[in-house]
């Protein structure tokens, strides 16, 4: 529950300051919990199967691309 509340706050702040595209905060909060939670839960397996730093970079890229505001035309 704490993670969901924090994701929601970050989303709301990001949308307000323009660093995150307008989103359905309820749906995106849930998706963030699923994606980030899955990475955290799988972290021990990930450490054996791949480079944790590389995984962190790719997760950052995934989230940045998903949440980035659309370019103004």
């Amino acid at each position: 529950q704490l993670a969901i509340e924090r994701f929601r706050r970050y989303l709301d702040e990001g949308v307000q300051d323009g660093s995150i595209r307008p989103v359905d905060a309820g749906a995106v909060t849930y998706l963030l919990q699923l994606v980030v939670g899955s990475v955290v839960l799988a972290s021990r397996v990930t450490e054996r199967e791949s480079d944790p730093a590389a995984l962190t970079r790719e997760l950052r890229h995934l989230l940045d691309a998903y949440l980035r505001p659309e370019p103004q035309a």
Side-chain angles (χ1 to χ4, degrees):
Q1 185 63 30
L2 181 61
I4 290 174
E5 291 170 7
R6 187 160 291 176
F7 287 146
R8 181 65 180 255
R9 189 179 82 230
Y10 291 155
L11 282 174
D12 290 343
E13 290 172 358
V15 169
Q16 287 295 320
D17 71 18
S19 62
I20 294 176
R21 65 183 173 83
V23 297
D24 176 328
V28 173
T29 298
Y30 180 72
L31 288 171
L32 288 174
Q33 169 64 25
L34 289 174
V35 170
V36 175
S38 296
V39 171
V40 170
L41 288 174
S43 64
R44 289 200 176 166
V45 172
T46 302
E47 288 173 356
R48 293 191 308 263
E49 301 295 327
S50 73
D51 175 18
L55 181 66
T56 300
R57 282 191 306 273
E58 292 303 320
L59 178 61
R60 181 173 293 139
H61 178 72
L62 176 113
L63 295 174
D64 285 346
Y66 177 60
L67 297 170
R68 182 179 304 126
E70 299 291 326
Q72 298 297 320

